Amino acid sequence: MHIDVQFFPFPPSPHLLSDRTVVVIDILRATSVMVYAMSQGAKEIIPVKTVEEAFQLAKTFPRSTTLLGGEKESNRIEGFDLENSPREYTSERVEGKRLILTTTNGTRAFHAVSSAAEILVGSFFNVTATAQRCLEGERDLLLFPSGDEGGFSLEDAVCGGMLIDRIIKRVKKPVALTDTSHSAHILFQRFEANLVEAFYLSRHGKELVDRGHGDDLPYCAQVDIINLVPVFKEGVIK
Amino acid sequence: MHIDVQFFPFPPSPHLLSDRTVVVIDILRATSVMVYAMSQGAKEIIPVKTVEEAFQLAKTFPRSTTLLGGEKESNRIEGFDLENSPREYTSERVEGKRLILTTTNGTRAFHAVSSAAEILVGSFFNVTATAQRCLEGERDLLLFPSGDEGGFSLEDAVCGGMLIDRIIKRVKKPVALTDTSHSAHILFQRFEANLVEAFYLSRHGKELVDRGHGDDLPYCAQVDIINLVPVFKEGVIK
């Protein structure tokens, strides 16, 4: 098994995707929101790239069963039902609902890797379940941190490293790591005893604190509180 | 002081360069060769992007005082005087000579950052001297690992991390680190006791071993054996 991590959120070459499982990771906060919302009974999540696209798409569904969620530059979007904090996506609000979600980095990442053999939604919430699913798939892996506005994101790399750690401790066959996957694993080991420390060092973590979303940092650092792995297929997460 | 590391060797935005000192790092092996050759008395080094450019440029200088050096895909170049191992660039061969150098990654990097306020040549050989020079310059820093064929290179990131470590232990004012510079520093700390271990894990390090250049790995891992910092200016390293 070969595990690579793409440190920067550029669309990978299609030849890198066609026979691989891709895990999209956006800890602060898109994939944390997605995993949490699905665990609370959301019916499905449609990630879209822009606010305009979200409003357009919402018109095609019954309003009573559809919620608009997300953020733009870490801020609330006028006319949306929910922001981008997983804590908002409780069963009372999302159970049985279709969510249309748009965020700065995370929702774009799914479209960048849409030609992969399988696309999973990863986070600290479901890291062991995701590792298990990767092992069952038996494909080579590309971990795809959605990054920070086109750049490298420390907290996403640390989560990728934790996923690698879970996999190499369980896998029966040899695992080949690349320069980036070795590095992500080392970054995880550095923060293993205190994951949220990485969030407070990261640019995006600091920005969330500055904008009053500081409570989301320890919340999104919770490990293995959810035992499901949402899958992105044909534009929809289920 | 603000220290950033560009993990991928894409040309940075000009606005990131104009008031910064950039340190180009290509441990295996271009900047190691450059620093070593200058320490052995080479007169100057002209990094060029292609083999053809090297041959064309050589015609404009007296052959007796000019040497062609470098590699293409880690292999010897027909008609060149020297390959890309620092061990070849001894004073007997290079003293007083102009070197025209072309390599897969390292020489291109200088052209990618040519609009920076100051461009230094970094390596493990001269890491403390480079840190001292950065401190004297008092500019914000961009460390620019030349990477591995367009990708992230573990050994370059570790050297960037060591340079950061040297700077933050000496600097008098606060230093702001980014997600990438925190990560490079952590990667350095992981390999601090055994730098060459990082080289043996890296894709490019393994490739050099496979192609019979394995002796260059421990050689290029030598720290602070040289107390000079070559500068790239107007196309020439002096």
Side-chain angles (χ1 to χ4, degrees):
Chain A
M1 183 185 245
H2 181 273
I3 307 180
D4 197 8
V5 183
Q6 183 151 328
F7 269 172
F8 278 64
F10 303 116
S13 307
H15 80 272
L16 280 177
L17 293 172
S18 58
D19 57 356
R20 293 204 199 187
T21 294
V22 172
V23 183
V24 176
I25 298 168
D26 183 9
I27 295 305
L28 297 175
R29 298 169 287 174
T31 60
S32 298
V33 162
M34 291 166 177
V35 171
Y36 194 76
M38 293 306 291
S39 80
Q40 296 293 302
K43 186 184 161 201
E44 62 184 27
I45 301 170
I46 308 179
V48 298
K49 291 182 199 172
T50 65
V51 173
E52 296 65 37
E53 210 178 328
F55 281 123
Q56 285 299 325
L57 187 64
K59 288 181 192 163
T60 68
F61 296 114
R63 195 68 186 93
S64 61
T65 57
T66 304
L67 294 171
L68 286 164
E71 50 80 16
K72 192 161 184 176
E73 292 160 10
S74 305
N75 292 319
R76 197 179 182 290
I77 301 168
E78 190 64 36
F80 269 41
D81 305 295
L82 297 157
E83 297 191 46
N84 195 35
S85 166
R87 293 175 295 141
E88 296 174 273
Y89 289 72
T90 56
S91 59
E92 292 73 29
R93 305 197 75 169
V94 305
E95 192 167 6
K97 299 285 175 70
R98 171 184 301 106
L99 306 178
I100 300 174
L101 203 69
T102 183
T103 68
T104 309
N105 308 300
T107 56
R108 289 158 197 257
F110 288 95
H111 296 278
V113 299
S114 60
S115 64
E118 182 173 56
I119 302 162
L120 308 179
V121 186
S123 69
F124 286 111
F125 294 161
N126 67 339
V127 65
T128 298
T130 306
Q132 194 55 42
R133 174 79 181 233
C134 291
L135 287 166
E136 287 161 11
E138 296 193 336
R139 293 189 193 88
D140 288 337
L141 298 180
L142 178 66
L143 311 186
F144 194 80
S146 72
D148 179 22
E149 295 176 14
F152 170 85
S153 155
L154 178 59
E155 67 279 8
D156 292 349
V158 169
C159 184
M162 188 175 211
L163 184 56
I164 292 167
D165 195 72
R166 295 286 195 261
I167 290 170
I168 59 184
K169 284 179 173 157
R170 284 168 173 74
V171 71
K172 301 278 190 297
K173 42 188 181 176
V175 175
L177 299 184
T178 62
D179 287 36
T180 51
S181 49
H182 276 302
S183 298
H185 191 221
I186 291 165
L187 293 172
F188 160 65
Q189 289 170 322
R190 162 66 181 77
F191 294 105
E192 182 169 11
N194 185 6
L195 292 173
V196 80
E197 185 190 352
F199 298 23
Y200 288 112
L201 287 177
S202 92
R203 195 207 66 82
H204 189 47
K206 288 175 195 156
E207 182 183 67
L208 289 175
V209 171
D210 288 346
R211 296 194 178 184
H213 303 297
D215 290 350
D216 279 344
L217 275 59
Y219 198 85
C220 292
Q222 296 176 92
V223 174
D224 288 337
I225 59 169
I226 294 170
N227 189 31
L228 63 83
V229 186
V231 176
F232 176 79
K233 195 173 175 183
E234 293 166 7
V236 181
I237 291 164
K238 282 190 180 177
Chain B
M1 183 185 243
H2 182 273
I3 307 180
D4 197 8
V5 183
Q6 183 150 328
F7 270 172
F8 278 64
F10 303 116
S13 307
H15 80 272
L16 282 178
L17 292 173
S18 59
D19 57 357
R20 292 204 202 189
T21 294
V22 172
V23 182
V24 176
I25 298 168
D26 183 10
I27 295 306
L28 297 174
R29 295 169 289 173
T31 61
S32 298
V33 162
M34 290 165 178
V35 171
Y36 194 75
M38 293 306 291
S39 80
Q40 296 292 302
K43 185 185 162 200
E44 62 184 28
I45 300 170
I46 308 178
V48 298
K49 291 183 199 170
T50 65
V51 173
E52 296 63 38
E53 211 178 328
F55 281 124
Q56 285 299 325
L57 188 63
K59 288 180 193 165
T60 68
F61 295 115
R63 194 69 184 92
S64 61
T65 57
T66 304
L67 294 170
L68 286 164
E71 49 80 17
K72 193 162 184 175
E73 291 159 11
S74 305
N75 292 319
R76 198 179 181 290
I77 302 169
E78 191 65 37
F80 268 41
D81 304 295
L82 298 157
E83 295 190 48
N84 196 35
S85 166
R87 292 175 297 140
E88 295 175 273
Y89 290 71
T90 56
S91 59
E92 292 75 28
R93 305 197 74 171
V94 304
E95 193 167 7
K97 299 284 175 71
R98 171 183 299 106
L99 305 179
I100 299 174
L101 202 69
T102 182
T103 67
T104 308
N105 307 303
T107 57
R108 289 159 196 257
F110 287 95
H111 296 280
V113 298
S114 60
S115 64
E118 181 174 57
I119 302 163
L120 308 179
V121 186
S123 68
F124 286 111
F125 294 161
N126 66 338
V127 65
T128 298
T130 306
Q132 194 54 43
R133 174 78 181 233
C134 291
L135 288 165
E136 287 160 11
E138 295 193 339
R139 292 189 192 88
D140 287 339
L141 298 179
L142 178 66
L143 310 187
F144 194 80
S146 71
D148 180 21
E149 296 177 14
F152 169 86
S153 155
L154 178 59
E155 67 279 8
D156 292 350
V158 169
C159 184
M162 189 175 210
L163 184 56
I164 292 166
D165 194 72
R166 294 286 195 263
I167 290 170
I168 59 183
K169 284 178 174 158
R170 283 169 175 73
V171 73
K172 301 277 189 296
K173 41 187 180 177
V175 175
L177 300 184
T178 61
D179 287 35
T180 51
S181 50
H182 276 301
S183 298
H185 191 221
I186 291 165
L187 293 173
F188 159 66
Q189 290 171 321
R190 163 65 181 78
F191 294 106
E192 182 170 9
N194 185 6
L195 293 172
V196 78
E197 185 190 352
F199 297 24
Y200 288 112
L201 288 176
S202 91
R203 196 207 66 83
H204 189 46
K206 289 175 193 155
E207 182 183 67
L208 288 175
V209 170
D210 288 347
R211 297 194 178 184
H213 302 297
D215 289 349
D216 279 343
L217 276 57
Y219 197 85
C220 292
Q222 297 176 90
V223 174
D224 288 337
I225 59 169
I226 294 170
N227 189 31
L228 63 83
V229 186
V231 177
F232 176 80
K233 195 173 175 184
E234 292 166 7
V236 180
I237 291 164
K238 283 189 179 176

